[in-house]
Amino acid sequence: CVTPLIRRSPLLTLGVELAFVFVVMATAHGAGADWFLFAANVDYLPYLLIGQAIYFYWAGGLPGWQALVLGLLAYCAAVFGIWHIQTAFLDPAHSRILGLVLALGIFVWTMNYGHHVGMMRLPRFLSDISYSLYLIHGPVGLLILAKLHGRIGYGNAAVLALVAVLALAYIIH
């Protein structure tokens, strides 16, 4: 719905999107079960909006301070949504915010350093296998963690899960 507007005015469009997210989440509990389920899905939009703010800063569509303010507001919207709608994700073991911070770190790193000579192979590889990775990271990675963390420790199991998931995603791709 906002694609035609976002190129003309990223600031206005991101502001409207954030306002929409906050209104939906603030009213999540007051309008019935269907609205609550809708709000639970809208709760994932702030992750996209943070990426949009970073992208428009990088592409020159927003000055740094505007992108920073919009990114912080989107982060607050993500935290508000977790606190208000998906409280199970407040537990650090199931934290969506930790995943968000890790994903943002990878995103910003690749935007800043991915174009250097020799650095394109890893981002290209991950880009190529991203859909396969998305499909199998949960079932395969969590299975390996569940079966091995008690035997070899969480860190070792996580490394094995990462290697196995990357290899399997590559094979599937």
Side-chain angles (χ1 to χ4, degrees):
C1 292
V2 298
T3 300
L5 302 172
I6 201 157
R7 288 193 179 107
R8 286 190 300 235
S9 179
L11 178 64
L12 176 64
T13 306
L14 288 168
V16 168
E17 290 172 331
L18 277 169
F20 170 75
V21 168
F22 275 109
V23 168
V24 169
M25 288 190 293
T27 61
H29 294 286
D34 289 339
W35 186 254
F36 181 81
L37 290 175
F38 175 69
N41 285 296
V42 168
D43 184 35
Y44 289 101
L45 284 178
Y47 303 107
L48 171 70
L49 300 180
I50 292 170
Q52 285 181 344
I54 293 169
Y55 170 77
F56 279 107
Y57 166 70
W58 178 76
L62 287 174
W65 72 270
Q66 289 178 353
L68 182 62
V69 168
L70 288 167
L72 288 173
L73 286 172
Y75 174 81
C76 290
V79 171
F80 176 66
I82 290 171
W83 173 78
H84 192 62
I85 297 172
Q86 301 184 31
T87 57
F89 298 137
L90 289 172
D91 177 15
H94 305 290
S95 175
R96 292 289 194 255
I97 298 300
L98 293 176
L100 171 64
V101 170
L102 178 61
L104 283 173
I106 292 169
F107 179 64
V108 170
W109 181 84
T110 57
M111 285 183 71
N112 286 323
Y113 302 108
H115 62 282
H116 293 294
V117 176
M119 297 297 282
M120 285 303 292
R121 287 191 177 109
L122 179 62
R124 169 75 59 184
F125 170 74
L126 293 174
S127 174
D128 288 345
I129 68 166
S130 64
Y131 188 67
S132 301
L133 193 59
Y134 164 73
L135 292 175
I136 65 160
H137 80 279
V140 173
L142 292 175
L143 177 66
I144 291 171
L145 284 174
K147 297 294 183 185
L148 295 180
H149 86 274
R151 294 181 181 154
I152 63 173
Y154 185 82
N156 293 329
V159 169
L160 286 175
L162 177 64
V163 170
V165 165
L166 287 172
L168 186 57
Y170 177 72
I171 290 166
I172 290 170
H173 170 73

